[in-house]
Amino acid sequence: MKKNLMTAAVALLTALSLPAPTYAQAYPARPVSLLVPYPAGAASDITARAVQGPISQALGAQVVVENLGGANGALGANRVLNAKPDGYLLFQGSPNELILAGLTNKAVTYKPEDFQFVAPVATSPYVVVTRADLGAANVDELIAMARQRHVPLTYGSGGAGSMIHLITAALAARTGITLTHIPYRGGAPLITDMAGGQIDFAIMPYQANYEDLRREGRLKIIGTLNRERLAALPDVPSVQESTTLKDFNYTIWTAYLVKQGTPADVVQKLHAAVQASLRDPAARKTLEAQGKILFAPQTLAEGQAFYAQQTAELAELVQRSGFRGE
């Protein structure tokens, strides 16, 4: 009897001395950060806040939008890549920071494949916006004006090597005009300066508030790079109707990504949550009011193939623009 008690006591003490077993918590066990790599108030921020609630509901955890602008979105991208690949930092990406930054800025060392593509959200049409008192009613007149001026027209962008910068540089190369580039940290300060008459024009992703500014006489929208006129701007011609920029068509997409190496089951949960957000009536209404064209549902494999295709096509855009990064 004593021997049995002694054996039991030794077993108990041994068990108590061992580390307690650890149990993995089901994802997500805490709030998820949704990182937008541009300042609050811009088109990208509107997108994040439209889907924030539905993604939270689908995940069963709070999603918090964070804004971190700078370096053409590369600061935000690096923040994600410096974090643990655990799915608690969801990145709202676009071609600017995901693909173009590494092609146009030698200081950016990450590559597109450092991110795991989760799901696309929407594409945004580009519009040509000018200060209110610039005497050009359409893109043909804008180009004619640029050719006649002794002092180059100024245009804004989200930074050297950004999508807007490269598209406008490609426009200048195609038409043989000279322009002066003014880089900004994001779309909101750019539009503020244009409304104040401090820059001449910009090619920008369409936002509904541009129409408000146009109605107030603070800026003009003289064209869209879409293939057709936009339903939100039926009186604004597409470049397809111009004589100088026919087939000069561009849009920009938004997608959600995580750091490569994030567990597959976590990526799948995030993918399902983003897809659910795009079925939410309120989110769809907000995004479509901004002129965004929502993506049809995609599998993870289809999204990854889209990402690879865009990476190749944007490398060609950099070449066409003639941009040389430093």
Side-chain angles (χ1 to χ4, degrees), residues 71-301:
N72 191 25
L75 286 183
N78 276 316
R79 164 106 181 268
V80 175
L81 295 178
N82 288 331
K84 291 181 180 179
D86 55 10
Y88 286 99
L89 194 50
L90 181 62
F91 188 55
Q92 181 173 291
S94 76
N96 283 328
E97 57 286 340
L98 293 168
I99 302 169
L100 295 175
L103 293 172
T104 60
N105 185 346
K106 293 180 181 177
V108 174
T109 57
Y110 63 79
K111 297 178 175 59
E113 55 268 27
D114 293 336
F115 291 91
Q116 164 71 54
F117 198 87
V118 173
V121 178
T123 59
S124 298
Y126 279 112
V127 290
V128 184
V129 187
T130 77
R131 57 182 170 86
D133 58 349
L134 190 71
N138 54 56
V139 292
D140 287 335
E141 292 184 10
L142 178 72
I143 291 164
M145 177 184 293
R147 286 172 174 158
Q148 295 164 3
R149 284 173 59 107
H150 295 296
V151 178
L153 291 173
T154 58
Y155 73 94
S157 84
S162 66
M163 187 89 164
I164 294 172
H165 178 211
L166 295 175
I167 290 172
T168 315
L171 180 153
R174 172 166 165 170
T175 58
I177 61 176
T178 300
L179 302 169
T180 297
H181 177 219
I182 311 295
Y184 285 83
R185 288 176 64 87
L190 190 166
I191 287 293
T192 297
D193 274 8
M194 191 183 306
Q198 296 179 46
I199 57 173
D200 293 318
F201 79 101
I203 296 173
M204 301 287 291
Y206 175 71
Q207 281 184 247
N209 69 317
Y210 295 174
E211 175 60 15
D212 297 332
L213 294 170
R214 181 172 75 145
R215 193 180 305 113
E216 295 166 4
R218 298 176 62 189
L219 52 75
K220 294 191 299 185
I221 304 175
I222 64 170
T224 171
L225 303 192
N226 218 38
R227 291 190 177 277
E228 306 86 20
R229 293 193 180 200
L230 300 179
L233 299 169
D235 59 328
V236 175
S238 164
V239 290
Q240 291 298 99
E241 303 169 51
S242 74
T243 58
T244 52
L245 285 180
K246 194 176 293 292
D247 297 324
F248 193 79
N249 305 120
Y250 290 97
T251 60
I252 188 168
W253 47 265
T254 300
Y256 288 113
L257 305 95
V258 289
K259 183 178 179 179
Q260 194 68 252
T262 300
D265 61 327
V266 172
V267 174
Q268 186 60 57
K269 285 185 179 181
L270 287 169
H271 174 263
V274 174
Q275 299 284 15
S277 76
L278 298 182
R279 296 191 296 269
D280 181 82
R284 292 183 68 90
K285 183 177 179 180
T286 298
L287 294 172
E288 289 171 349
Q290 295 295 326
K292 297 184 184 299
I293 302 167
L294 305 187
F295 276 89
Q298 290 188 2
T299 65
L300 282 168

